[in-house]
Amino acid sequence: MKSYELLEMLMMVTFGCSWPLNVMKSWKARTTQGKSLPFLILIWSGYIFGIVGKLLSRNFKWYVLFCYVLNLIMVSVDLALYVRNYRLDQQAKLRQN
């Protein structure tokens, strides 16, 4: 393994460690307050670009690509929870009126 591959993989692992915590917070909070949809979309897009870049380079290691895909899945789950929580927020507003 080359040093730049190791560093990239470590970057992906450290980013990836934060996503399960974020997903759990979204699951428990049941609200979109404190979340930013544009931020989530930008992060999601960044992982897509990273995956496509790896695939186009044809010079990638499977374990680095795996880290990108795993992070993309976690951000996708967080986006799905954002949609669920947005609906819950809307329902709560209707009940208040």
Side-chain angles (χ1 to χ4, degrees):
M1 177 184 318
K2 297 183 173 127
S3 61
Y4 67 87
E5 292 170 337
L6 176 64
L7 292 171
E8 182 178 22
M9 188 179 70
L10 289 171
M11 176 197 70
M12 296 303 295
V13 167
T14 55
F15 285 177
C17 288
S18 65
W19 287 116
L21 301 173
N22 220 11
V23 166
M24 289 306 297
K25 182 179 176 185
S26 293
W27 178 259
K28 290 178 183 179
R30 300 178 66 84
T31 182
T32 58
Q33 291 198 355
K35 289 291 215 177
S36 170
L37 182 59
F39 175 77
L40 288 173
I41 291 171
L42 282 171
I43 296 296
W44 188 88
S45 300
Y47 285 131
I48 292 289
F49 293 142
I51 290 167
V52 171
K54 286 289 174 199
L55 294 174
L56 290 177
S57 75
R58 296 185 186 157
N59 186 22
F60 64 89
K61 302 295 185 207
W62 66 268
Y63 45 83
V64 176
L65 185 63
F66 175 79
C67 290
Y68 275 95
V69 172
L70 187 59
N71 284 344
L72 177 68
I73 290 168
M74 288 188 280
V75 176
S76 297
V77 169
D78 207 23
L79 276 167
L81 287 172
Y82 184 95
V83 171
R84 179 202 72 162
N85 291 345
Y86 180 82
R87 289 180 182 156
L88 292 173
D89 287 345
Q90 296 303 312
Q91 290 172 359
K93 282 182 188 177
L94 288 175
R95 278 187 246 127
Q96 288 177 351
N97 293 330

